[in-house]
Amino acid sequence: MNREIEGNRVPDVTFRTRTPDHEWKDVTTADLFAGKKVVVFSLPGAFTPTCSTAHVPRYNELAPEFRAQGVDSILCISVNDTFVMNAWKDDQKADEIIFVPDGNGEFTEKMGLLVDKSVIGFGKRSWRYAMVVKDGVVEKAFIEPEKPGDPYEVSDADTVLSYLGGGKKKPQDIVLFTKPGCSHCARAKALLTEKGLRYREIDADPGLLRSVSGAMTTPQVFVNGMLIGGADQLESKINEIIAT
């Protein structure tokens, strides 16, 4: 895997995309990067847990803060075809992000970040990374460490935004796993709204909820990636959260 990408130009690639009008459209690297300041994040696959619950939603949420730092666009690149990427964007309601289908893995391979995930049935996929690109040249790269599994430590939106903002304080990343009709969920959301804290709400699929929190009750509240607990725990720690 090539980790020395800073100072290099992004590869010259044509992406085959499908428009909302169901027309094929070729999009080139020049279309995406020329004359622009662009943030890119790339990940192993659409609809996968970390990508869907953390990576994409947080970039979408922080898009206004990225724009304030002079970023023209945010790209999500994955080795998936355009139909999958379009469906994923719709599912994520991620209107602030351009989803780029690297279906053949050509861009990712030329970046030196194509890896073999055949052991989990994925075939060739992208390593997880992010980068800041100015007029087609990589200014800064955030490549996840070479560890087993799917590390998610440095390519997150908050880390990239911190770099762009010179290390200034980042907005809180608050995530609520909720279920319809849950009174405790409504209480937690009302408290956060009252305190002026933004949050992301995720439907608590039982399997997903168990895997991320180890619990089955709702809500489950995460702040900056750390599990706080339910509505009672949120109430007891709300002042600490505000002060962080």
Side-chain angles (χ1 to χ4, degrees):
M1 184 179 355
N2 178 22
R3 306 185 71 85
E4 303 299 326
I5 64 174
E6 292 180 3
N8 295 339
R9 294 198 66 83
V10 295
D12 185 14
V13 169
T14 298
F15 302 95
R16 295 284 285 155
T17 73
R18 193 80 165 173
T19 71
D21 296 326
H22 309 294
E23 299 290 336
W24 286 103
K25 180 182 179 181
D26 286 347
V27 176
T28 67
T29 301
D31 293 330
L32 296 172
F33 294 100
K36 301 174 184 177
K37 183 177 181 179
V38 179
V39 167
V40 177
F41 66 103
S42 190
L43 36 79
F47 293 102
T48 53
T50 300
C51 306
S52 294
T53 62
H55 219 170
V56 166
R58 187 61 168 166
Y59 273 100
N60 194 62
E61 178 185 0
L62 294 181
E65 281 77 10
F66 279 107
R67 284 196 293 271
Q69 297 300 324
V71 172
D72 295 297
S73 55
I74 302 171
L75 311 183
C76 173
I77 299 178
S78 182
V79 183
N80 290 107
D81 65 68
T82 186
F83 294 99
V84 170
M85 293 294 276
N86 287 349
W88 192 32
K89 178 173 183 172
D90 291 344
D91 180 75
Q92 289 282 296
K93 299 178 176 62
D95 294 333
E96 301 281 2
I97 299 171
I98 298 172
F99 282 60
V100 181
D102 187 24
N104 294 326
E106 182 182 357
F107 181 88
T108 305
E109 183 174 23
K110 289 181 176 179
M111 286 292 299
L113 291 164
L114 191 69
V115 295
D116 188 352
K117 289 187 171 285
S118 299
V119 69
I120 58 172
F122 275 33
K124 300 288 187 179
R125 293 294 178 106
S126 177
W127 190 249
R128 194 183 296 275
Y129 70 95
M131 57 184 177
V132 176
V133 182
K134 286 188 177 180
D135 194 22
V137 176
V138 180
E139 173 189 297
K140 181 68 176 176
F142 307 83
I143 304 174
E144 295 296 342
E146 293 186 51
K147 296 180 179 180
D150 179 24
Y152 179 55
E153 302 174 15
V154 300
S155 64
D156 58 286
D158 291 274
T159 297
V160 178
L161 184 61
S162 179
Y163 164 77
L164 291 168
K168 73 177 184 179
K169 184 178 178 182
K170 301 172 291 187
Q172 296 275 37
D173 183 14
I174 302 175
V175 180
L176 273 66
F177 286 84
T178 65
K179 291 191 298 190
C182 166
S183 60
H184 296 297
C185 301
R187 181 158 56 95
K189 291 189 287 185
L191 177 60
L192 291 170
T193 300
E194 175 191 336
K195 299 298 183 180
L197 296 172
R198 293 188 303 175
Y199 62 88
R200 289 185 284 118
E201 186 176 2
I202 298 176
D203 289 338
D205 171 84
L208 178 60
L209 183 60
R210 185 183 293 110
S211 68
V212 298
S213 71
M216 292 301 295
T217 58
T218 54
Q220 291 296 318
V221 184
F222 288 78
V223 177
N224 298 327
M226 296 184 61
L227 176 62
I228 298 299
D232 291 340
Q233 289 76 23
L234 177 62
E235 285 184 346
S236 68
K237 296 182 179 180
I238 191 67
N239 291 330
E240 178 184 338
I241 293 169
I242 293 171
T244 301

